[in-house]
């Protein structure tokens, strides 16, 4: 059995910088046509110069592969209209983090609401710059995403022309909210389609599956699978592949993030095939994102075959999801 994926896109990707960038960027560029690059570097990407130089470093790390890094800015509440107008030439979206909610988000927003962020959101809406949001409150870890839904509603209602992407959704309630507002969209990760909290902490603790938002309940995973498998037009694949060096994962305080970029397409094929919906994978990993973000990525055809792929134990100092295990699908060729 074979599947041909055209121009796969990863609409939520952490590539980091320096040595880590050199390790992980080629792995995404090998099988994806492009990706939306997250701006949570230290310090975060907040100026046009930051965006341009980071993009250059990414392209250098990628080498000869055809791969488009779609850049983002880290949301700051003091961006003005003229700055955003200029920045729009270099970015695809702006990513908003509540302060301190996840890795390198300390410079994020203290209070997320339509009033206090009004002038920036107004300008983004007018300039048609999409807003990507890490939607979690500061509440109990299993409730954070659900508690944030009223914030999404507030933003969606008050800025009806602003495209708002609920990043890495993990709950059935987030899935339900999608159809309530025309301007709400979502990304779904590979790991949240695969795992629940049981896989992370139900037996021996598995640090390489620890991420934010934390994986939820079986019924949440079911809702995510349903909406991804049907390739709902407002839903896109965004891996949230978030590499950390092994010593930061297998450590006293484990960093949040699952590294999935090099195994994502193989594992998605396996999942979609088992659900009998392989024909919908193209929309989930590319067509929906092209439509939502009006993208025209470099042409790439990835042929996957139903042959076992043994996932390496590590890529340099980063441990991928399914390390040392077998996935039922492998990449046969990329052209
Ligand atoms: O698990 C996560 N890791 N979630 C995020 O939101 C950020 C990411 C990272 O940058 O490591
Ligand atoms: Zn992320």
């Amino acid at each position: 059995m074979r599947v041909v994926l055209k121009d796969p896109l990863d609409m939520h990707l952490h590539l980091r910088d320096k040595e880590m960038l050199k390790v992980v960027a080629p792995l995404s560029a090998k099988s994806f046509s492009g990706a939306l690059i997250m701006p949570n570097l230290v310090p975060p990407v907040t100026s046009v110069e930051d965006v341009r130089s980071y993009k250059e470093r990414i392209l250098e790390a990628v080498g000869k592969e055809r791969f488009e890094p779609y850049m983002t800015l880290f949301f700051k509440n003091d961006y003005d209209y003229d700055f955003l107008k200029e920045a729009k030439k270099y970015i695809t979206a702006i990513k908003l983090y509540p302060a301190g909610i996840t890795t390198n988000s300390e410079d994020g927003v203290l209070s997320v609401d339509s009033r206090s962020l009004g002038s920036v959101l107004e300008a983004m809406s007018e300039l048609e710059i999409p807003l990507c949001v890490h939607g979690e409150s500061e509440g109990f870890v299993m409730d954070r995403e659900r508690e944030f839904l009223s914030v999404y509603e507030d933003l969606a209602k008050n800025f009806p022309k602003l495209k708002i992407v609920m990043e890495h959704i993990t709950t059935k309630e987030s899935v339900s909210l999608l159809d309530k507002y025309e301007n709400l969209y979502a990304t779904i990760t590979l790991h949240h389609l695969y795992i629940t909290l049981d896989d992370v902490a139900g037996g021996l603790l598995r640090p390489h599956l620890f991420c934010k938002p934390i994986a939820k309940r079986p019924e949440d995973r079911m809702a995510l699978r349903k909406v991804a498998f049907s390739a709902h037009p407002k839903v896109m694949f965004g891996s949230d592949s978030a590499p950390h060096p092994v010593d930061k994962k297998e450590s006293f305080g484990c960093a949040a993030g699952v590294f999935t970029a090099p195994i994502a397409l193989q594992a998605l094929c396996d999942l979609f095939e088992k659900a009998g919906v392989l024909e919908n994978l193209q929309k989930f990993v590319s067509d929906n994102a092209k439509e939502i973000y009006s993208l025209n990525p470099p042409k790439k055809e990835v042929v996957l075959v139903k042959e076992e792929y043994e996932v390496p134990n590590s890529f340099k100092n980063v441990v991928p999801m399914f390390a040392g295990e077998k996935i039922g699908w492998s990449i046969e060729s990329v052209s």
Side-chain angles (χ1 to χ4, degrees):
M1 206 189 300
R2 264 189 176 64
V3 169
V4 181
L5 294 175
K6 291 204 165 81
D7 316 338
L9 293 169
D10 179 349
M11 297 312 291
H12 184 130
L13 178 65
H14 298 270
L15 286 180
R16 315 296 192 207
D17 214 342
K18 308 212 167 83
E19 284 314 302
M20 183 63 92
L21 172 64
K22 289 186 189 131
V23 174
V24 300
L27 298 170
S28 281
K30 212 159 136 184
S31 53
F32 287 91
S33 264
L36 192 73
I37 310 301
M38 291 300 119
N40 61 332
L41 304 182
V42 187
V45 177
T46 55
S47 70
V48 169
E49 186 41 39
D50 290 347
V51 171
R52 292 176 56 160
S53 61
Y54 186 32
K55 183 168 179 175
E56 257 172 44
R57 296 196 297 282
I58 293 170
L59 289 173
E60 201 182 309
V62 157
K64 286 206 175 67
E65 293 286 352
R66 277 163 295 136
F67 178 80
E68 182 64 30
Y70 295 104
M71 305 305 290
T72 62
L73 269 175
F74 188 99
F75 188 102
K76 298 288 284 179
N77 206 16
D78 56 8
Y79 293 153
D80 66 22
Y81 185 90
D82 291 339
F83 166 76
L84 291 168
K85 192 169 173 198
E86 177 62 15
K88 183 182 153 80
K89 298 176 195 159
Y90 306 97
I91 60 170
T92 299
I94 296 181
K95 174 74 186 284
L96 186 152
Y97 291 92
I101 202 69
T102 187
T103 311
N104 306 339
S105 63
E106 292 72 20
D107 292 336
V109 169
L110 288 174
S111 164
V112 188
D113 64 86
S114 63
R115 274 195 15 187
S116 48
L117 310 181
S119 68
V120 181
L121 297 180
E122 193 76 66
M124 287 173 64
S125 176
E126 205 174 312
L127 292 162
E128 298 182 8
I129 303 172
L131 174 74
C132 300
V133 183
H134 183 117
E136 289 195 284
S137 73
E138 289 176 346
F140 179 65
V141 69
M142 288 294 278
D143 297 333
R144 286 177 193 173
E145 187 172 300
R146 231 174 323 112
E147 287 175 358
F148 198 87
L149 294 185
S150 58
V151 178
Y152 280 128
E153 295 210 52
D154 167 43
L155 300 179
K157 266 189 228 160
N158 284 290
F159 300 95
K161 296 225 165 70
L162 178 67
K163 278 190 176 168
I164 301 168
V165 184
M166 304 188 283
E167 294 296 332
H168 43 54
I169 56 170
T170 61
T171 64
K172 59 185 189 331
E173 290 84 1
S174 296
V175 172
S176 303
L177 196 66
L178 261 182
D179 287 323
K180 207 168 153 194
Y181 296 92
E182 208 182 318
N183 54 336
L184 280 185
Y185 301 84
T187 55
I188 298 181
T189 73
L190 174 77
H191 46 285
H192 292 117
L193 288 173
Y194 262 95
I195 65 173
T196 67
L197 186 59
D198 255 2
D199 297 290
V200 187
L204 292 179
L205 187 67
R206 302 196 32 211
H208 297 288
L209 298 181
F210 172 65
C211 65
K212 300 285 175 66
I214 194 98
K216 304 291 188 312
R217 309 178 66 86
E219 54 268 37
D220 294 306
R221 179 179 61 182
M222 211 182 332
L224 296 177
R225 286 182 174 180
K226 194 168 164 213
V227 78
F229 289 166
S230 67
H232 188 299
K234 296 174 92 182
V235 163
M236 305 166 268
F237 174 61
S239 70
D240 197 13
S241 178
H244 292 276
V246 64
D247 61 298
K248 293 276 185 301
K249 293 292 287 177
E250 298 174 6
S251 94
F252 176 66
C254 168
V258 185
F259 180 52
T260 54
I263 57 109
L265 292 181
Q266 300 91 319
L268 281 171
C269 271
D270 207 41
L271 203 58
F272 275 62
E273 189 230 336
K274 286 186 178 129
V277 292
L278 258 182
E279 69 279 9
N280 287 344
L281 186 54
Q282 176 63 37
K283 288 196 182 114
F284 181 61
V285 293
S286 181
D287 300 353
N288 290 353
K290 281 185 188 170
E291 185 72 28
I292 293 165
Y293 278 105
S294 308
L295 304 177
N296 186 16
K299 296 272 162 287
K300 208 171 249 192
E301 261 192 22
V302 183
V303 181
L304 292 113
V305 281
K306 197 177 167 182
E307 276 168 26
E308 273 187 356
Y309 165 58
E310 200 173 319
V311 179
N313 288 317
S314 69
F315 293 86
K316 292 272 169 58
N317 61 340
V318 195
V319 177
M321 188 177 175
F322 299 131
E325 294 175 41
K326 292 191 174 96
I327 300 178
W329 285 73
S330 49
I331 294 177
E332 185 185 65
S333 65
V334 181
S335 57

